[in-house]
Amino acid sequence: MSFPDQYKNLLLEYARKELHKASELKVETIGSQIREIGFLCTQCGSCCRGYHSDNRVMLLPQDILNLSKNSSLSAAEFVLPFIAAEVEDALNGISDLSGLIPYLDKDGDVHSFGWMLKRKKHGDCFFLERGDLPYKCAIYDFRPALCQTYPFYLEECELHTSECEGLGSSISYDDSLLLARLVLKRYMLELEERILVYQRYEHFEPMDTNVGFSLERFKKGHVSYIVHDSEGTHRICERM
């Protein structure tokens, strides 16, 4: 067995244990924690706006299916490979292109795990409608799980929060339970997706030669992605 296979099996074992532990979490307990923290969305749009914070929205397969069914767009029109922040900064010219190297294979392709919502050139979410406050979401009724649960998320079976000005406000018992159910459901789906990704992951050899050639190609706007998700491995080529 190769080292990548050993590592993959360890990740699978850990993810399965975490999923089992997550299945024993109680919605009432999470709801109580949410009430203690407090939350009320102010519709400021900060979590959706570009360069205000990390507004990447990672999509579950159910999110992509739901958006495709409820909007006039095909998945190809609103979905992008989910890439690490340092890779995105390098591709956008914000940081040195050396940030790409750990994610490059020997052919110069950028490896990604999963999918995210597209963003506009200035960084806003693809579906954010600017205008007079409050900001409006064009897909609010069928927005992705991450958006439905923001700023709350579960990690290693512990509740966490992201930066949000709505934290600390009073929240009702019923609303906290509703939010808790969504947070737990999202967490379970994320863990199930992670397990499938690990199972179907195809190991790649990291780049050790021709780095200069690949970086020059990226400077000219040629990017090839290899996306690993629960359905397997996909190749996407695009000109930025």
Side-chain angles (χ1 to χ4, degrees):
M1 181 183 293
S2 66
F3 172 75
D5 286 336
Q6 290 178 327
Y7 185 57
K8 180 169 75 171
N9 288 338
L10 285 173
L11 291 174
L12 271 169
E13 181 182 2
Y14 184 83
R16 286 169 177 149
K17 286 181 178 178
E18 188 174 354
L19 179 60
H20 176 73
K21 188 177 177 181
S23 69
E24 298 177 337
L25 292 175
K26 303 298 184 185
V27 168
E28 291 78 12
T29 302
I30 300 170
S32 177
Q33 292 173 325
I34 290 174
R35 283 197 304 281
E36 185 176 345
I37 295 169
F39 173 67
L40 177 67
C41 179
T42 64
Q43 296 182 293
C44 66
S46 294
C47 55
C48 312
R49 289 173 7 227
Y51 307 117
H52 180 86
S53 60
D54 183 1
N55 69 334
R56 292 172 301 163
V57 175
M58 192 167 189
L59 298 169
L60 293 163
Q62 293 87 341
D63 294 327
I64 297 173
L65 179 62
N66 198 29
L67 282 165
S68 297
K69 287 171 59 178
N70 288 286
S71 74
S72 59
L73 301 176
S74 66
E77 294 177 274
F78 62 79
V79 170
L80 278 179
F82 185 88
I83 52 178
E86 56 267 36
V87 173
E88 186 173 57
D89 288 345
L91 290 174
N92 289 333
I94 297 172
S95 65
D96 191 274
L97 285 171
S98 61
L100 280 166
I101 295 175
Y103 301 90
L104 293 176
D105 63 22
K106 59 183 178 60
D107 297 317
D109 297 322
V110 180
H111 284 252
S112 160
F113 293 85
W115 306 91
M116 69 180 188
L117 280 184
K118 273 186 180 179
R119 287 178 292 176
K120 301 171 186 176
K121 287 186 177 180
H122 50 63
D124 281 3
C125 174
F126 187 75
F127 292 105
L128 182 67
E129 298 178 345
R130 284 198 184 223
D132 295 333
L133 291 177
Y135 288 91
K136 294 182 180 179
C137 172
I139 56 167
Y140 186 83
D141 290 337
F142 41 93
R143 63 199 185 282
L146 187 151
C147 304
Q148 292 182 44
T149 56
Y150 193 90
F152 296 97
Y153 64 97
L154 286 162
E155 189 173 272
E156 297 186 346
C157 294
E158 297 289 338
L159 185 68
H160 298 270
T161 61
S162 300
E163 181 181 353
C164 179
E165 67 176 39
L167 289 171
S169 301
S170 178
I171 183 171
S172 71
Y173 176 82
D174 288 343
D175 286 345
S176 68
L177 280 185
L178 175 61
L179 188 50
R181 289 191 187 96
L182 292 172
V183 170
L184 182 55
K185 180 181 177 181
R186 170 191 163 192
Y187 183 47
M188 299 287 286
L189 290 172
E190 287 173 342
L191 288 171
E192 290 169 358
E193 174 75 4
R194 188 187 308 171
I195 289 169
L196 287 172
V197 171
Y198 289 158
Q199 288 175 333
R200 296 172 185 176
Y201 171 70
E202 297 177 14
H203 176 66
F204 70 93
E205 293 296 329
M207 171 171 281
D208 55 5
T209 60
N210 297 323
V211 174
F213 170 78
S214 292
L215 296 186
E216 285 300 318
R217 185 179 63 172
F218 295 138
K219 288 180 182 178
K220 295 176 182 178
H222 298 280
V223 183
S224 293
Y225 294 104
I226 303 294
V227 184
H228 305 271
D229 67 12
S230 57
E231 295 182 353
T233 301
H234 315 266
R235 177 182 292 275
I236 297 178
C237 300
E238 67 174 46
R239 184 176 181 85
M240 294 169 59

